[in-house]
Amino acid sequence: MARIGSFLVLLYLTYALTLCICDDETNYGGSERGNLFPGFYRSSCPRAEEIVRSVVAKAVSRETRMAASLMRLHFHDCFVQGCDGSLLLDTSGNIVTEKNSNPNSRSARGYEVVDEIKAALESECPNTVSCADALTLAARDSSVLTGGPSWTVPLGRRDSTSASLSGSNNNIPAPNNTFNTIVSRFNNQGLDLTDVVALSGSHTIGFSRCTSFRQRLYNQSGNGSPDTTLEQSYAANLRQRCPKSGGDQNLSELDINSAGRFDNSYFKNLIENMGLLNSDEVLFSSNEQSRELVKKYAEDQEEFFEQFAESMVKMGNISPLTGSSGEIRKNCRKINNS
């Protein structure tokens, strides 16, 4: 795994040297995206993206799983108050952290890597680059470092001075949600069904805890029976890692074929009834339109990569704080002057 991680880091750094970043606000339409545009730090912190990329590359080289963890942090941040870094705040004063919500408690990870990114940015450009932008860039770099697509990231987000535990509990889709609930929660953020399917493809990397899929193995509908859409031999293998009781933190790969490589294998698994989470498999089993998208991405990785990049930019633009709103935190874990 270390050898693979080192190869991916070298591949990405080579790619980064030739990356052409379009940082013209006018060409990108920054004024129409809440004043976010790729060249936001061109003068104030020209090495910002390079710094983030370097820290993330080292973290993923140490542990490939960290790429999925950082991408998940970005997703869970954007679905609560928009992409404003609220997830990164610890409990302090009037702040009640989102880290203890049901979707995040004992599962969200990677905060220390964000701290490392922020420290490096503060050393280079004090009081300039927001935690929200740092996390958004880290999500993009995590994709590239594991073999996935790249995209130009609009920048200029500012950090929130509040968090929402209730928003974290209520807005983020859960592993056992129904298809309609999942789509509704994405729609509430301005994301459509195509975004649902494409962004779910991020489950081609990373792991999930037993507690997130146990219901499918033993009691899917409350009648003591397993989920009939789960392939039987795959289910038997999962039961060895995930007993009826205990072992809540035991991990299984979200993509049984390539948990450390960002590709379209996830969608092929769904077609074979081998999606780990209920929220994965319902994309193939519960709706004709989403089923066709799953088939398309399973057949054409390039098509998936293009849509994933587009949907990640769209998600990253959810309700950003810009201008004089919010602040630029010095420490991502606490608001300034607290």
Side-chain angles (χ1 to χ4, degrees):
M1 184 66 75
R3 185 175 298 175
I4 293 174
S6 298
F7 170 75
L8 290 172
V9 170
L10 288 172
L11 179 65
Y12 182 43
L13 292 177
T14 302
Y15 159 83
L17 290 174
T18 60
L19 179 64
C20 177
I21 298 177
C22 175
D23 55 6
D24 185 333
E25 176 183 2
T26 303
N27 289 344
Y28 196 81
S31 62
E32 297 179 2
R33 296 173 182 266
N35 296 319
L36 301 181
F37 59 98
F40 189 86
Y41 298 112
R42 180 173 50 193
S43 299
S44 60
C45 194
R47 293 186 59 242
E49 293 197 44
E50 177 188 343
I51 290 168
V52 175
R53 182 184 309 129
S54 176
V55 175
V56 175
K58 291 176 184 176
V60 174
S61 180
R62 292 192 300 264
E63 181 192 18
T64 305
R65 180 188 171 199
M66 186 54 66
S69 299
L70 291 170
M71 204 173 291
R72 185 169 182 255
L73 284 184
H74 178 51
F75 168 55
H76 283 206
D77 181 45
C78 290
F79 267 58
V80 184
Q81 301 186 165
C83 307
D84 62 359
S86 62
L87 170 59
L88 304 174
L89 289 168
D90 289 338
T91 294
S92 176
N94 294 325
I95 302 292
V96 178
T97 184
E98 295 170 15
K99 297 176 183 179
N100 292 333
S101 70
N102 291 330
N104 296 325
S105 178
R106 304 188 71 182
S107 64
R109 59 196 299 274
Y111 301 114
E112 295 80 6
V113 176
V114 179
D115 292 340
E116 188 178 350
I117 293 169
K118 182 60 173 172
L121 289 169
E122 286 296 302
S123 177
E124 177 82 8
C125 315
N127 307 316
T128 302
V129 181
S130 68
C131 300
D133 273 346
L135 183 55
T136 306
L137 288 168
R140 187 273 308 275
D141 295 341
S142 294
S143 169
V144 178
L145 282 163
T146 49
S150 183
W151 55 91
T152 302
V153 179
L155 298 167
R157 298 165 191 79
R158 289 169 65 84
D159 298 321
S160 70
T161 55
S162 65
S164 177
L165 179 63
S166 62
S168 187
N169 279 322
N170 296 322
N171 296 355
I172 299 171
N176 288 315
N177 279 160
T178 65
F179 175 83
N180 289 336
T181 297
I182 294 166
V183 173
S184 176
R185 292 190 175 185
F186 273 78
N187 289 167
N188 289 341
Q189 305 299 329
L191 302 171
D192 59 26
L193 181 58
T194 299
D195 300 316
V196 173
V197 179
L199 292 173
S200 295
S202 64
H203 285 180
T204 186
I205 57 174
F207 296 77
S208 186
R209 298 177 301 155
C210 169
T211 187
S212 296
F213 58 87
R214 176 183 284 123
Q215 178 178 327
R216 298 192 72 201
L217 301 177
Y218 302 104
N219 193 27
Q220 175 70 351
S221 301
N223 59 2
S225 299
D227 187 346
T228 56
T229 66
L230 192 59
E231 199 273 332
Q232 291 186 10
S233 61
Y234 178 50
N237 179 270
L238 290 174
R239 289 189 191 98
Q240 294 179 12
R241 307 186 195 183
C242 184
K244 278 188 177 181
S245 61
D248 286 1
Q249 302 302 311
N250 293 352
L251 297 174
S252 287
E253 300 91 341
L254 284 161
D255 179 346
I256 193 172
N257 293 316
S258 57
R261 185 175 67 251
F262 198 106
D263 55 24
N264 67 338
S265 176
Y266 164 85
F267 296 103
K268 297 176 182 179
N269 293 341
L270 299 188
I271 294 172
E272 298 296 327
N273 296 323
M274 296 174 67
L276 179 63
L277 305 178
N278 181 74
S279 56
D280 295 325
E281 196 59 50
V282 293
L283 300 179
F284 186 74
S285 64
S286 297
N287 178 272
E288 181 61 30
Q289 186 179 352
S290 66
R291 184 180 301 114
E292 291 305 310
L293 288 169
V294 168
K295 291 178 180 178
K296 179 167 69 171
Y297 299 150
E299 294 170 358
D300 190 338
Q301 180 166 283
E302 182 177 350
E303 179 77 19
F304 163 49
F305 278 15
E306 289 179 0
Q307 184 57 56
F308 183 79
E310 180 179 327
S311 294
M312 284 294 285
V313 171
K314 187 175 178 181
M315 184 180 74
N317 289 334
I318 296 173
S319 304
L321 297 173
T322 59
S324 60
S325 299
E327 64 179 15
I328 304 298
R329 287 186 218 137
K330 297 177 182 178
N331 180 336
C332 292
R333 293 176 180 262
K334 61 181 182 178
I335 62 175
N336 296 338
N337 303 317
S338 64

